[in-house]
Amino acid sequence: LLLVRVALARLDARPPRRPHEEEREPANLMGSASASAAKVAEVEVKAAPSEALDEDTEQLQAELEECLDTIRWCAESVTRESLQDLKNTNKPPSVVKDVLEAVAVLIGQPEKTWDKLKRLMSGASFLDRIQRLNFQQSVTKEQFKKLKDLLRNPDFDEELIKTVCVPVVPLAMWCRAIGVYLSKTKFQGSGDIRPVAASGATSPPPPHQGNRMTTPGAFIIFEPELDKLSPEELKCVKDLSISRQAVGKIVFHGETDCTDIDFENIVRLEIGEVLVYPDSSNKPKVGEGLNKSATVTMYQCWPPNGAKLQDERSQERYKRKIQQMTEEKNAKFIDYDCSTGVWVFRVDHF
Protein backbone atom coordinates (compact mmCIF):
# COMPACT_ATOMS: atom_id res chain seq x y z
CA LEU A 1 0.00 0.00 0.00
CA LEU A 2 1.35 3.38 -0.97
CA LEU A 3 -0.59 6.37 0.26
CA VAL A 4 0.55 9.88 -0.57
CA ARG A 5 -1.51 12.87 0.54
CA VAL A 6 0.24 16.06 -0.49
CA ALA A 7 -1.87 18.80 1.01
CA LEU A 8 -3.03 16.77 4.00
CA ALA A 9 0.32 16.85 5.76
CA ARG A 10 0.49 13.11 5.93
CA LEU A 11 3.82 14.13 4.44
CA ASP A 12 3.84 17.09 6.86
CA ALA A 13 3.33 19.55 4.00
CA ARG A 14 0.40 21.32 5.58
CA PRO A 15 1.20 24.61 7.33
CA PRO A 16 0.57 24.91 11.09
CA ARG A 17 -2.86 25.86 12.30
CA ARG A 18 -3.62 29.54 12.58
CA PRO A 19 -3.69 30.98 16.12
CA HIS A 20 -7.48 31.16 16.32
CA GLU A 21 -7.67 27.48 15.40
CA GLU A 22 -5.33 26.57 18.26
CA GLU A 23 -7.86 27.98 20.69
CA ARG A 24 -10.57 25.47 19.89
CA GLU A 25 -11.38 23.40 22.95
CA PRO A 26 -12.94 19.96 22.51
CA ALA A 27 -15.79 20.91 24.83
CA ASN A 28 -16.79 23.80 22.56
CA LEU A 29 -17.27 21.42 19.65
CA MET A 30 -20.47 20.21 21.22
CA GLY A 31 -22.15 23.63 21.28
CA SER A 32 -23.73 25.36 24.27
CA ALA A 33 -26.88 23.22 24.29
CA SER A 34 -24.88 19.99 24.24
CA ALA A 35 -22.58 21.33 26.94
CA SER A 36 -25.57 22.01 29.22
CA ALA A 37 -26.94 18.53 28.55
CA ALA A 38 -23.53 17.07 29.33
CA LYS A 39 -23.56 18.76 32.76
CA VAL A 40 -26.98 17.31 33.58
CA ALA A 41 -25.89 13.89 32.41
CA GLU A 42 -22.76 14.15 34.52
CA VAL A 43 -24.85 14.64 37.68
CA GLU A 44 -27.27 11.84 36.83
CA VAL A 45 -24.68 9.19 36.02
CA LYS A 46 -21.96 10.33 38.40
CA ALA A 47 -21.90 7.04 40.23
CA ALA A 48 -22.58 4.84 37.19
CA PRO A 49 -20.16 3.46 34.59
CA SER A 50 -19.56 5.98 31.80
CA GLU A 51 -17.72 3.93 29.21
CA ALA A 52 -20.51 4.19 26.60
CA LEU A 53 -20.88 7.95 27.11
CA ASP A 54 -17.12 8.42 26.85
CA GLU A 55 -16.99 6.36 23.66
CA ASP A 56 -19.78 8.40 22.06
CA THR A 57 -18.09 11.65 23.02
CA GLU A 58 -14.74 10.48 21.72
CA GLN A 59 -16.29 9.31 18.47
CA LEU A 60 -18.08 12.63 17.98
CA GLN A 61 -14.90 14.56 18.73
CA ALA A 62 -12.96 12.43 16.23
CA GLU A 63 -15.60 13.04 13.55
CA LEU A 64 -15.51 16.78 14.19
CA GLU A 65 -11.73 16.90 14.06
CA GLU A 66 -11.84 15.00 10.77
CA CYS A 67 -14.27 17.58 9.42
CA LEU A 68 -11.98 20.42 10.50
CA ASP A 69 -8.99 18.75 8.85
CA THR A 70 -10.94 18.33 5.62
CA ILE A 71 -12.14 21.94 5.72
CA ARG A 72 -8.62 23.27 6.20
CA TRP A 73 -7.11 21.01 3.54
CA CYS A 74 -9.76 21.87 0.97
CA ALA A 75 -9.47 25.61 1.60
CA GLU A 76 -5.71 25.38 1.14
CA SER A 77 -6.03 23.27 -2.02
CA VAL A 78 -7.99 25.84 -4.03
CA THR A 79 -5.76 28.16 -6.07
CA ARG A 80 -6.32 30.83 -8.67
CA GLU A 81 -4.53 28.64 -11.20
CA SER A 82 -6.81 25.66 -10.57
CA LEU A 83 -9.90 27.83 -11.08
CA GLN A 84 -8.66 29.68 -14.16
CA ASP A 85 -10.32 27.43 -16.74
CA LEU A 86 -13.55 27.56 -14.76
CA LYS A 87 -13.55 31.35 -14.89
CA ASN A 88 -13.44 31.15 -18.69
CA THR A 89 -16.41 28.78 -18.91
CA ASN A 90 -19.69 30.23 -20.10
CA LYS A 91 -21.93 27.18 -19.70
CA PRO A 92 -20.69 24.92 -16.88
CA PRO A 93 -22.29 21.60 -15.93
CA SER A 94 -25.17 22.18 -13.53
CA VAL A 95 -23.41 20.49 -10.62
CA VAL A 96 -20.44 22.87 -10.99
CA LYS A 97 -22.81 25.79 -10.69
CA ASP A 98 -24.38 24.12 -7.63
CA VAL A 99 -20.98 23.85 -5.94
CA LEU A 100 -20.20 27.53 -6.50
CA GLU A 101 -23.70 28.43 -5.33
CA ALA A 102 -23.09 26.50 -2.08
CA VAL A 103 -19.77 28.31 -1.59
CA ALA A 104 -21.50 31.65 -2.16
CA VAL A 105 -24.13 30.77 0.45
CA LEU A 106 -21.48 29.93 3.05
CA ILE A 107 -19.44 33.09 2.58
CA GLY A 108 -22.58 35.17 2.89
CA GLN A 109 -22.92 36.35 -0.69
CA PRO A 110 -25.60 34.11 -2.21
CA GLU A 111 -25.78 34.19 -5.99
CA LYS A 112 -27.65 31.99 -8.46
CA THR A 113 -26.65 33.14 -11.94
CA TRP A 114 -23.40 31.85 -13.41
CA ASP A 115 -22.21 35.31 -14.45
CA LYS A 116 -22.47 36.57 -10.87
CA LEU A 117 -20.88 33.40 -9.49
CA LYS A 118 -17.96 33.86 -11.90
CA ARG A 119 -17.51 37.44 -10.77
CA LEU A 120 -17.52 36.28 -7.17
CA MET A 121 -14.97 33.57 -7.94
CA SER A 122 -12.76 36.06 -9.82
CA GLY A 123 -12.75 38.56 -6.96
CA ALA A 124 -9.44 39.34 -5.28
CA SER A 125 -10.76 38.28 -1.86
CA PHE A 126 -12.48 35.02 -2.91
CA LEU A 127 -9.78 32.59 -1.75
CA ASP A 128 -9.08 34.59 1.39
CA ARG A 129 -12.77 34.52 2.35
CA ILE A 130 -12.82 30.75 1.99
CA GLN A 131 -9.64 30.21 3.97
CA ARG A 132 -10.59 32.61 6.77
CA LEU A 133 -14.28 31.79 7.07
CA ASN A 134 -15.30 31.37 10.71
CA PHE A 135 -18.24 29.18 9.75
CA GLN A 136 -18.98 28.10 13.32
CA GLN A 137 -20.08 31.65 14.15
CA SER A 138 -21.02 33.22 10.82
CA VAL A 139 -23.31 30.61 9.23
CA THR A 140 -26.96 31.27 10.12
CA LYS A 141 -29.78 28.74 10.28
CA GLU A 142 -31.13 30.05 6.97
CA GLN A 143 -27.73 29.63 5.31
CA PHE A 144 -27.43 26.12 6.73
CA LYS A 145 -30.85 25.19 5.35
CA LYS A 146 -29.88 26.41 1.86
CA LEU A 147 -26.59 24.51 2.09
CA LYS A 148 -28.34 21.35 3.22
CA ASP A 149 -30.78 21.56 0.30
CA LEU A 150 -27.90 21.86 -2.18
CA LEU A 151 -25.94 19.01 -0.60
CA ARG A 152 -28.96 16.71 -0.82
CA ASN A 153 -29.00 17.01 -4.60
CA PRO A 154 -27.99 13.50 -5.81
CA ASP A 155 -25.62 15.09 -8.33
CA PHE A 156 -23.78 16.96 -5.57
CA ASP A 157 -21.52 13.96 -5.08
CA GLU A 158 -17.78 14.53 -4.81
CA GLU A 159 -16.97 11.25 -6.54
CA LEU A 160 -19.16 12.12 -9.50
CA ILE A 161 -17.92 15.71 -9.59
CA LYS A 162 -14.40 14.37 -10.09
CA THR A 163 -15.50 13.05 -13.48
CA VAL A 164 -16.99 16.40 -14.47
CA CYS A 165 -14.67 19.12 -13.16
CA VAL A 166 -11.66 18.24 -11.00
CA PRO A 167 -10.83 21.84 -9.91
CA VAL A 168 -14.11 22.24 -7.99
CA VAL A 169 -13.75 18.99 -6.03
CA PRO A 170 -11.99 20.69 -3.06
CA LEU A 171 -14.77 23.29 -2.97
CA ALA A 172 -17.44 20.58 -3.00
CA MET A 173 -15.70 18.71 -0.17
CA TRP A 174 -15.26 21.99 1.74
CA CYS A 175 -19.01 22.67 1.57
CA ARG A 176 -19.95 19.14 2.61
CA ALA A 177 -17.49 19.00 5.52
CA ILE A 178 -18.82 22.31 6.86
CA GLY A 179 -22.38 21.01 6.49
CA VAL A 180 -21.55 17.81 8.38
CA TYR A 181 -19.78 19.73 11.16
CA LEU A 182 -22.67 22.16 11.67
CA SER A 183 -25.24 19.35 11.59
CA LYS A 184 -23.47 17.75 14.55
CA THR A 185 -22.91 20.96 16.54
CA LYS A 186 -24.58 24.32 16.01
CA PHE A 187 -27.62 22.92 14.14
CA GLN A 188 -27.79 19.53 15.78
CA GLY A 189 -31.18 17.92 15.23
CA SER A 190 -31.76 19.63 11.88
CA GLY A 191 -31.14 16.42 9.97
CA ASP A 192 -28.02 14.48 9.07
CA ILE A 193 -25.81 15.27 6.10
CA ARG A 194 -23.96 12.49 4.35
CA PRO A 195 -20.24 12.72 5.21
CA VAL A 196 -17.55 13.14 2.59
CA ALA A 197 -16.26 9.60 3.06
CA ALA A 198 -19.68 8.14 2.19
CA SER A 199 -20.21 10.24 -0.91
CA GLY A 200 -20.82 8.16 -3.98
CA ALA A 201 -21.30 4.99 -1.98
CA THR A 202 -24.85 4.59 -3.22
CA SER A 203 -24.09 5.51 -6.82
CA PRO A 204 -23.17 2.73 -9.25
CA PRO A 205 -19.99 3.27 -11.26
CA PRO A 206 -20.32 4.03 -14.97
CA PRO A 207 -20.02 1.06 -17.34
CA HIS A 208 -16.64 -0.19 -18.49
CA GLN A 209 -15.58 1.57 -21.68
CA GLY A 210 -12.75 0.37 -23.85
CA ASN A 211 -9.35 1.16 -22.41
CA ARG A 212 -10.85 3.11 -19.52
CA MET A 213 -11.29 1.67 -16.10
CA THR A 214 -14.04 2.74 -13.73
CA THR A 215 -12.85 3.57 -10.26
CA PRO A 216 -15.20 5.28 -7.82
CA GLY A 217 -16.16 8.26 -9.96
CA ALA A 218 -13.19 8.46 -12.28
CA PHE A 219 -11.96 7.21 -15.65
CA ILE A 220 -8.46 5.82 -15.61
CA ILE A 221 -6.68 5.29 -18.90
CA PHE A 222 -4.40 2.38 -19.81
CA GLU A 223 -1.44 2.51 -22.15
CA PRO A 224 -1.21 0.28 -24.07
CA GLU A 225 -4.95 -0.26 -24.48
CA LEU A 226 -5.53 -3.54 -22.68
CA ASP A 227 -8.83 -4.31 -24.38
CA LYS A 228 -7.02 -4.43 -27.72
CA LEU A 229 -4.40 -6.95 -26.63
CA SER A 230 -4.62 -10.69 -27.19
CA PRO A 231 -4.55 -13.10 -24.21
CA GLU A 232 -0.90 -13.83 -24.92
CA GLU A 233 -0.02 -10.13 -25.12
CA LEU A 234 -1.79 -9.48 -21.80
CA LYS A 235 0.66 -11.81 -20.09
CA CYS A 236 3.62 -9.54 -20.83
CA VAL A 237 2.60 -5.88 -21.05
CA LYS A 238 5.73 -3.75 -21.18
CA ASP A 239 5.89 -0.53 -19.14
CA LEU A 240 2.18 -0.48 -18.33
CA SER A 241 0.92 3.07 -17.77
CA ILE A 242 -2.19 3.89 -15.75
CA SER A 243 -3.18 7.55 -15.71
CA ARG A 244 -5.94 9.97 -14.92
CA GLN A 245 -6.06 13.31 -16.69
CA ALA A 246 -4.94 16.28 -14.59
CA VAL A 247 -4.47 13.98 -11.57
CA GLY A 248 -1.54 11.62 -12.05
CA LYS A 249 0.12 8.66 -13.72
CA ILE A 250 1.82 5.41 -12.68
CA VAL A 251 4.25 3.63 -15.00
CA PHE A 252 5.02 0.03 -13.97
CA HIS A 253 8.49 -0.88 -15.17
CA GLY A 254 9.30 -4.03 -17.07
CA GLU A 255 6.72 -6.61 -18.12
CA THR A 256 3.46 -7.03 -16.22
CA ASP A 257 1.05 -9.94 -16.45
CA CYS A 258 -2.34 -8.19 -16.63
CA THR A 259 -4.40 -11.32 -17.19
CA ASP A 260 -6.20 -11.61 -13.86
CA ILE A 261 -5.61 -8.20 -12.26
CA ASP A 262 -8.71 -6.54 -10.78
CA PHE A 263 -7.67 -2.98 -11.64
CA GLU A 264 -10.93 -1.45 -10.40
CA ASN A 265 -10.23 -2.49 -6.83
CA ILE A 266 -6.44 -2.34 -6.87
CA VAL A 267 -5.56 1.11 -8.26
CA ARG A 268 -6.84 4.47 -7.13
CA LEU A 269 -5.61 7.86 -8.35
CA GLU A 270 -6.88 11.06 -6.73
CA ILE A 271 -5.48 14.57 -6.38
CA GLY A 272 -2.66 14.19 -3.87
CA GLU A 273 -3.22 10.47 -3.43
CA VAL A 274 -1.95 7.25 -4.98
CA LEU A 275 -3.27 3.90 -3.78
CA VAL A 276 -2.15 0.51 -5.08
CA TYR A 277 -3.50 -2.54 -3.25
CA PRO A 278 -5.54 -0.62 -0.64
CA ASP A 279 -6.44 -4.00 0.87
CA SER A 280 -3.05 -5.35 1.89
CA SER A 281 -4.49 -8.84 2.36
CA ASN A 282 -4.84 -9.08 -1.43
CA LYS A 283 -1.34 -7.82 -2.20
CA PRO A 284 0.95 -10.36 -3.89
CA LYS A 285 4.60 -10.73 -3.04
CA VAL A 286 7.06 -8.17 -4.34
CA GLY A 287 7.61 -8.47 -8.08
CA GLU A 288 4.21 -9.98 -8.84
CA GLY A 289 1.12 -8.23 -10.21
CA LEU A 290 1.39 -4.48 -9.64
CA ASN A 291 3.51 -4.82 -6.51
CA LYS A 292 6.62 -3.85 -8.40
CA SER A 293 8.91 -0.99 -9.35
CA ALA A 294 7.05 2.03 -10.70
CA THR A 295 7.42 5.74 -11.40
CA VAL A 296 4.64 7.97 -10.09
CA THR A 297 3.83 11.41 -11.50
CA MET A 298 1.35 13.55 -9.59
CA TYR A 299 -0.23 16.81 -10.77
CA GLN A 300 -1.74 19.74 -8.85
CA CYS A 301 0.68 19.34 -5.95
CA TRP A 302 0.91 23.02 -5.08
CA PRO A 303 2.59 24.67 -2.10
CA PRO A 304 0.14 25.10 0.83
CA ASN A 305 -2.32 28.00 0.85
CA GLY A 306 -1.91 28.36 -2.91
CA ALA A 307 1.29 30.30 -2.28
CA LYS A 308 3.38 31.33 -5.25
CA LEU A 309 7.06 30.96 -4.48
CA GLN A 310 8.55 33.66 -6.70
CA ASP A 311 12.23 33.65 -5.84
CA GLU A 312 14.48 30.72 -6.70
CA ARG A 313 15.68 30.34 -3.13
CA SER A 314 12.14 29.75 -1.80
CA GLN A 315 11.38 27.34 -4.63
CA GLU A 316 14.53 25.36 -4.02
CA ARG A 317 13.88 25.26 -0.27
CA TYR A 318 10.36 23.91 -0.81
CA LYS A 319 11.65 21.43 -3.37
CA ARG A 320 14.15 20.10 -0.80
CA LYS A 321 11.30 19.72 1.69
CA ILE A 322 9.33 17.65 -0.83
CA GLN A 323 12.42 15.56 -1.50
CA GLN A 324 12.90 14.89 2.21
CA MET A 325 9.27 13.88 2.66
CA THR A 326 9.48 11.60 -0.38
CA GLU A 327 12.52 9.81 0.98
CA GLU A 328 10.89 9.44 4.38
CA LYS A 329 8.22 7.40 2.59
CA ASN A 330 10.92 5.06 1.26
CA ALA A 331 10.51 6.39 -2.27
CA LYS A 332 13.18 7.81 -4.60
CA PHE A 333 12.70 11.50 -5.34
CA ILE A 334 13.04 12.41 -9.03
CA ASP A 335 11.69 15.95 -9.41
CA TYR A 336 9.27 18.58 -8.17
CA ASP A 337 8.32 21.89 -9.80
CA CYS A 338 6.57 24.58 -7.74
CA SER A 339 5.43 26.46 -10.83
CA THR A 340 3.65 23.47 -12.43
CA GLY A 341 2.72 21.48 -9.32
CA VAL A 342 4.20 18.30 -10.84
CA TRP A 343 5.86 15.82 -8.46
CA VAL A 344 7.70 12.74 -9.73
CA PHE A 345 9.12 9.90 -7.66
CA ARG A 346 9.89 6.20 -7.94
CA VAL A 347 9.06 3.26 -5.70
CA ASP A 348 10.63 -0.21 -5.59
CA HIS A 349 7.25 -1.76 -4.81
CA PHE A 350 3.87 -0.99 -3.20
Side-chain angles (χ1 to χ4, degrees):
L1 169 65
L2 175 70
L3 175 58
V4 182
R5 294 187 186 273
V6 180
L8 278 176
R10 295 188 188 278
L11 298 181
D12 300 324
R14 190 176 63 203
R17 292 183 178 180
R18 301 182 180 90
H20 72 275
E21 293 172 340
E22 297 275 348
E23 295 172 1
R24 288 193 185 94
E25 295 293 338
N28 291 338
L29 298 176
M30 299 289 291
S32 58
S34 296
S36 299
K39 291 180 180 178
V40 175
E42 182 180 355
V43 174
E44 292 178 349
V45 299
K46 195 169 184 179
S50 59
E51 287 83 356
L53 180 62
D54 291 342
E55 288 179 5
D56 290 344
T57 303
E58 288 178 4
Q59 181 179 351
L60 175 60
Q61 183 173 334
E63 291 173 357
L64 295 176
E65 285 298 326
E66 184 176 352
C67 285
L68 292 174
D69 282 342
T70 300
I71 292 164
R72 280 189 293 269
W73 171 72
C74 290
E76 294 162 2
S77 298
V78 183
T79 66
R80 295 196 181 282
E81 291 80 5
S82 66
L83 296 177
Q84 189 58 49
D85 289 342
L86 198 58
K87 296 173 186 176
N88 298 328
T89 302
N90 292 324
K91 292 184 179 180
S94 59
V95 68
V96 173
K97 179 177 173 291
D98 288 345
V99 171
L100 268 297
E101 189 176 331
V103 173
V105 166
L106 285 172
I107 64 178
Q109 192 173 335
E111 301 288 356
K112 287 186 174 293
T113 67
W114 179 243
D115 286 342
K116 290 183 178 180
L117 288 169
K118 279 205 302 182
R119 281 199 293 272
L120 175 64
M121 182 172 48
S122 302
S125 63
F126 180 69
L127 296 182
D128 190 62
R129 293 172 72 179
I130 289 174
Q131 293 167 2
R132 295 181 179 276
L133 179 67
N134 186 357
F135 66 91
Q136 293 143 302
Q137 293 185 7
S138 65
V139 176
T140 65
K141 190 171 184 178
E142 182 181 357
Q143 286 174 291
F144 176 72
K145 183 179 183 302
K146 291 178 180 178
L147 173 66
K148 187 169 63 173
D149 290 342
L150 287 165
L151 292 175
R152 285 180 174 174
N153 180 348
D155 290 335
F156 202 119
D157 186 316
E158 293 73 31
E159 296 295 339
L160 295 178
I161 294 171
K162 290 173 185 176
T163 69
V164 177
C165 183
V166 171
V168 300
V169 172
L171 290 174
M173 294 174 64
W174 181 78
C175 292
R176 185 171 294 280
I178 289 177
V180 172
Y181 186 98
L182 292 175
S183 72
K184 295 178 180 294
T185 54
K186 187 174 183 179
F187 302 113
Q188 188 177 15
S190 299
D192 291 335
I193 293 177
R194 185 179 63 198
V196 173
S199 297
T202 59
S203 302
H208 188 84
Q209 298 182 12
N211 66 317
R212 298 182 174 215
M213 176 189 70
T214 54
T215 61
F219 283 127
I220 293 184
I221 302 172
F222 294 89
E223 297 179 15
E225 299 180 24
L226 300 185
D227 61 331
K228 294 184 178 180
L229 300 182
S230 66
E232 287 300 317
E233 291 172 327
L234 281 173
K235 293 180 180 179
C236 52
V237 178
K238 186 175 181 180
D239 293 335
L240 171 68
S241 170
I242 300 178
S243 62
R244 182 175 166 200
Q245 187 176 8
V247 175
K249 177 173 69 173
I250 311 173
V251 177
F252 296 90
H253 302 298
E255 295 185 347
T256 302
D257 184 352
C258 299
T259 306
D260 297 316
I261 295 181
D262 182 8
F263 289 98
E264 294 188 15
N265 294 314
I266 289 177
V267 180
R268 184 181 180 92
L269 276 170
E270 305 291 349
I271 295 177
E273 178 182 83
V274 174
L275 278 171
V276 179
Y277 294 108
D279 183 356
S280 58
S281 64
N282 294 328
K283 180 164 61 177
K285 64 182 183 180
V286 175
E288 294 185 358
L290 301 182
N291 190 19
K292 59 190 299 184
S293 174
T295 295
V296 179
T297 302
M298 302 180 69
Y299 308 122
Q300 301 194 55
C301 299
W302 308 105
N305 287 325
K308 285 186 177 181
L309 305 180
Q310 303 289 359
D311 60 285
E312 292 185 5
R313 181 178 296 182
S314 296
Q315 292 180 7
E316 188 60 32
R317 184 164 56 246
Y318 192 75
K319 182 177 180 178
R320 286 198 300 268
K321 182 177 181 180
I322 294 295
Q323 179 176 357
Q324 179 184 353
M325 293 186 295
T326 304
E327 293 170 349
E328 287 175 355
K329 294 296 179 181
N330 298 318
K332 181 180 179 181
F333 176 81
I334 296 177
D335 192 25
Y336 174 74
D337 191 328
C338 292
S339 61
T340 63
V342 177
W343 179 15
V344 186
F345 57 91
R346 180 167 177 160
V347 297
D348 292 331
H349 60 84
F350 291 91

